[in-house]
Amino acid sequence: MKVRSSLVQSLLAALGLPEDERDLVERGLIQPPDPEMGDIALPCFPFASILKTSPHNIAKDAASKLMQDPFIERLNPQGPYLNIFLKRSKVIPVVLMEILEQSDSYGRQNLGKDEVIVIDYSHPNIAKPFHFGHLRSTNIGADLARILDYLGYRVFRKNYIGDWGTQFGFVIYAWQKYGDEKILEERAVDYLVELYIRANKETESDPKIHEEAKSLFKRLEEGDEKLTALWKRFRALSIETYEKTYARLGVEFDSFEGEAAISRKVDEVISRFQKAGVAIESENAIVVEVSDVLNREIAPCMLRKSDGSSTYAARDCAEAIARWEDHKFAANMYVCSRQEDHFAQVFAALKKLARAENWEYDWSDRCENISFGYVRGMSTRKGSAVWLGEVLEEARDRARAVRLAKETSNPGAFPRLTSEQLDRISESVGLAALLYNDVSASRMRDLDFDWDTVLRFDGNTGPYLQYTYARIAGVFRKAEGGDYSEDSDSVERADFKLLTTEEEWSLVLAVREFPKAVLQSGRKREPHEIAGYLQNLAMKFNNYYGAHRILNVEHKSLSKARLGLLKAVQNILGLGMNLLGISALDVM
Ligand code: ARG
């Protein structure tokens, strides 16, 4: 990011701003809507109040002082905008060398200064179906965790599983009646859901079962030894199954402690709310009014129901308090959709507690609900429920079919794969299709899911990124086989000034935007920023590749410079895909 630092430094000087406005300048830099206007632009509005003059004057004035920067070719102040044309022959080598030298760590930043961010994601409920919302949460959460880690935070990945509640009463009831050891061992997660559904069905004709289930759960809460042992087993088996899938997805967690673990601290926390005068009794329940804090009509945050049992919200209050005590987090994020009111209630209840208890620091403002839209049309062969394992199988099988069809219809363009290669590639293309889909639009947008679309090798898909990456790998294979063998490892030392076409310039501008895309996506909690960035980069590369030869051009030194550019593009694609959990393939 040498070019950027140098520019920001020069801009500060030309604007006459102090060093501590650095961030304001750096964040202000944009890409002009039209490359004719300039390579970068600085809108001058934010400086008007500091410099006490109009944005127009600021732009004009700065333009007259800015010429000394080695990376600036010419300036074009346009109204309140300061448009900058960069000196291509200077910028291209610096940007490319920087990427090639830093390779795996290019774009890493220390925004987080080692502070902790807790991310609560995936969080399925044992004995209830894993639905699209859990899949999308798993995926967006894992992406954000990687992105924030890249930005210098210490990320604590929390899988706050739903391992407590009356559903266990139903499952235990059905287990005692029909339980089958062998089936449980074989497919724990799905089987528990089946038992749960079965008990629920029976309740329709026999309401007594509901009471029985409730009393079973009550006994479990009271610590009944046999029931606790059973619960532990269900929990362990479920987590074991989840973990297999998580491993396949490349998703990790630091903790699986969920609702059960925190339920032990809930009574204490409810008393605390009462003592502070924040929680009140209402119709035998204990609630915290929150409409005053939130300035809108919203139901109170209920901590205890009239039947004496504590609530999901009470557990979340206790859990947030514990997280603050353990981590002193910079942010505490819940990647969870369709629970906006719940989280608003919980955060507001905590804010009231902060005020009443006069906390030194009100960290409730650091709690964030990262919500997302609906995925329409996601289903598998077996129907509309999303059994996670099955979705992955289906993704893999469909990816295989697509690949085989390409091999047949277009021999030559797609090499024959060994069956081992085909297995590996199908698995990772299937995953890429599935994972990319979730971030193919900004997270609040609803998505349509369709297997044929997500598996395409072109368009806004994960396989398109993989395909582009593999295409570049293919060029390097050819280069090694040909005349470049002695040089292909030294593309870093190519003469990058030879890259003079418009497409090359546009690619260089694009690769240097990568750190910014990562930063934006972290700040906005929006993995799509990276996905969109990679799409654009892949498109630019494929345009370039269609328009220019890389190997066997007039001069070998030009080929070498182009290979260097390709290597930089490939490096950035790989880094970005990695942040999105998509594997980069050399052959596909
Ligand atoms: N298990 C819950 C569900 O599936 C989501 C948990 C979200 N996290 C939290 N701390 N409440 O609906």
Side-chain angles (χ1 to χ4, degrees):
M1 294 180 269
K2 274 186 211 141
V3 177
R4 188 177 301 273
S5 330
S6 162
L7 269 179
V8 172
Q9 203 56 48
S10 306
L11 280 164
L12 277 171
L15 292 162
L17 287 172
E19 183 63 31
D20 43 328
E21 300 296 349
R22 198 183 178 82
D23 201 42
L24 194 64
V25 173
E26 181 153 13
R27 287 175 80 162
L29 291 172
I30 56 169
Q31 239 166 2
D34 176 358
E36 303 274 294
M37 297 162 89
D39 298 314
I40 347 180
L42 184 71
C44 294
F45 310 100
F47 314 116
S49 62
I50 309 174
L51 298 169
K52 309 217 163 28
T53 173
S54 74
H56 285 67
N57 284 337
I58 297 174
K60 218 167 66 208
D61 204 40
S64 65
K65 297 186 193 143
L66 203 56
M67 285 311 292
Q68 294 91 325
D69 190 284
F71 296 113
I72 294 178
E73 173 79 41
R74 115 187 120 82
L75 295 155
N76 172 27
Q78 262 188 331
Y81 294 90
L82 177 56
N83 295 329
I84 303 169
F85 287 94
L86 297 172
K87 202 172 270 168
R88 299 184 180 187
S89 59
K90 279 267 171 352
V91 170
I92 294 176
V94 171
V95 169
L96 294 182
M97 301 276 272
E98 200 170 17
I99 295 174
L100 295 174
E101 266 163 30
Q102 295 178 8
S103 69
D104 281 356
S105 57
Y106 183 73
R108 255 191 197 282
Q109 291 157 74
N110 194 13
L111 178 72
K113 304 191 183 66
D114 260 353
E115 289 189 301
V116 176
I117 287 187
V118 179
I119 309 192
D120 178 325
Y121 63 106
S122 192
H123 40 234
N125 302 317
I126 293 177
K128 290 190 186 168
F130 195 103
H131 55 74
F132 90 88
H134 295 117
L135 180 55
R136 203 165 183 205
S137 165
T138 307
N139 195 9
I140 293 177
D143 291 351
L144 286 175
R146 289 186 213 98
I147 291 163
L148 292 164
D149 175 89
Y150 211 68
L151 290 175
Y153 288 97
R154 279 188 290 141
V155 180
F156 190 83
R157 296 157 163 89
K158 177 104 187 180
N159 197 338
Y160 182 78
I161 53 175
D163 55 358
W164 206 236
T166 19
Q167 83 249 38
F168 282 95
F170 284 97
V171 177
I172 291 173
Y173 164 83
W175 170 259
Q176 289 178 340
K177 209 157 157 196
Y178 315 102
D180 183 322
E181 274 296 334
K182 236 185 94 200
I183 308 181
L184 180 67
E185 286 292 332
E186 256 170 45
R187 43 188 193 91
V189 169
D190 297 351
Y191 185 50
L192 293 175
V193 178
E194 279 161 33
L195 288 174
Y196 175 66
I197 292 173
R198 188 160 179 182
N200 262 299
K201 272 247 159 61
E202 282 183 26
T203 314
E204 283 165 22
S205 53
D206 183 359
K208 274 208 314 288
I209 295 173
H210 193 109
E211 288 311 307
E212 209 167 311
K214 266 174 86 171
S215 92
L216 277 167
F217 180 62
K218 191 144 206 287
R219 273 170 57 203
L220 178 62
E221 272 191 307
E222 286 159 4
D224 178 292
E225 257 177 53
K226 263 174 83 183
L227 296 185
T228 304
L230 202 54
W231 170 81
K232 275 199 176 141
R233 197 158 159 235
F234 290 165
R235 183 180 188 278
L237 280 170
S238 302
I239 291 180
E240 209 177 287
T241 318
Y242 294 143
E243 278 197 304
K244 275 188 207 134
T245 314
Y246 291 138
R248 239 171 122 176
L249 292 169
V251 170
E252 289 172 359
F253 293 98
D254 297 300
S255 160
F256 281 86
E257 298 278 277
E259 294 187 50
I262 200 65
S263 69
R264 283 177 237 125
K265 296 197 188 151
V266 160
D267 288 343
E268 195 187 306
V269 167
I270 297 179
S271 313
R272 193 171 149 188
F273 272 95
Q274 286 180 293
K275 251 191 230 124
V278 170
I280 52 164
E281 242 187 85
S282 156
E283 298 170 36
N284 285 327
I286 297 175
V287 302
V288 180
E289 280 304 334
V290 292
S291 43
D292 50 344
V293 181
L294 295 171
N295 271 322
R296 64 180 164 107
E297 234 177 90
I298 181 167
C301 179
M302 187 181 289
L303 301 179
R304 200 182 287 289
K305 296 186 217 161
S306 54
D307 67 6
S309 58
S310 62
T311 60
Y312 177 53
R315 289 193 281 279
D316 259 329
C317 287
E319 172 73 18
I321 292 173
R323 284 183 197 174
W324 174 255
E325 283 165 4
D326 289 349
H327 300 290
K328 300 284 181 288
F329 47 71
N332 174 29
M333 317 197 322
Y334 302 80
V335 186
C336 187
S337 73
R338 308 198 148 196
Q339 296 191 20
E340 280 85 358
D341 276 359
H342 162 74
F343 287 111
Q345 286 160 334
V346 168
F347 303 161
L350 290 166
K351 174 164 284 306
K352 274 193 132 168
L353 190 65
R355 288 179 186 161
E357 292 184 342
N358 217 345
W359 293 355
E360 203 174 306
Y361 182 72
D362 173 8
W363 48 263
S364 69
D365 294 326
R366 295 190 178 183
C367 297
E368 303 169 34
N369 177 203
I370 313 295
S371 190
F372 48 82
Y374 199 77
V375 182
R376 284 179 295 249
M378 180 169 256
S379 64
T380 59
R381 285 166 286 219
K382 284 211 182 145
S384 63
V386 178
W387 302 104
L388 187 53
E390 256 166 51
V391 179
L392 301 192
E393 311 285 275
E394 182 150 1
R396 186 201 54 208
D397 295 348
R398 285 183 183 258
R400 182 197 306 270
V402 167
R403 180 59 177 76
L404 286 173
K406 283 200 192 305
E407 200 172 300
T408 328
S409 68
N410 201 351
F414 291 89
R416 271 196 102 76
L417 302 173
T418 64
S419 74
E420 211 179 290
Q421 276 176 319
L422 184 62
D423 283 348
R424 200 173 46 80
I425 291 171
S426 311
E427 168 87 5
S428 79
V429 172
L431 281 177
L434 205 59
L435 299 184
Y436 184 89
N437 180 60
D438 275 333
V439 294
S440 62
S442 48
R443 62 181 156 79
M444 290 312 291
R445 285 253 310 270
D446 290 345
L447 294 175
D448 289 310
F449 184 84
D450 163 56
W451 281 112
D452 293 332
T453 310
V454 301
L455 282 163
R456 289 179 65 130
F457 280 24
D458 54 8
N460 189 15
T461 71
Y464 176 60
L465 298 179
Q466 290 180 313
Y467 172 72
T468 307
Y469 185 98
R471 215 172 175 191
I472 299 178
V475 176
F476 278 99
R477 274 193 300 278
K478 249 194 227 144
E480 257 167 48
D483 208 10
Y484 302 88
S485 35
E486 81 273 26
D487 301 317
S488 57
D489 62 339
S490 62
V491 294
E492 286 86 351
R493 287 186 292 281
D495 184 3
F496 292 121
K497 285 199 291 299
L498 298 172
L499 302 174
T500 52
T501 69
E502 283 305 313
E503 290 88 350
E504 282 156 347
W505 176 239
S506 144
L507 264 179
V508 169
L509 283 180
V511 285
R512 76 177 275 281
E513 287 292 310
F514 176 69
K516 193 160 177 190
V518 182
L519 192 65
Q520 299 269 33
S521 85
R523 284 201 166 119
K524 296 190 193 161
R525 309 348 190 174
E526 184 62 271
H528 170 66
E529 289 280 328
I530 293 180
Y533 167 84
L534 292 175
Q535 264 301 310
N536 178 45
L537 179 62
M539 244 151 57
K540 284 205 163 124
F541 168 76
N542 286 308
N543 279 341
Y544 171 58
Y545 193 65
H548 298 280
R549 294 182 72 99
I550 309 297
L551 305 176
N552 308 317
V553 287
E554 316 83 270
H555 294 291
K556 215 167 140 185
S557 50
L558 179 59
S559 277
K560 209 160 129 183
R562 289 185 170 170
L563 283 171
L565 173 62
L566 260 59
K567 200 159 182 187
V569 172
Q570 189 188 32
N571 186 54
I572 301 286
L573 279 174
L575 286 174
M577 287 159 73
N578 193 30
L579 289 175
L580 300 180
I582 296 173
S583 23
L585 300 170
D586 283 336
V587 177
M588 78 182 265

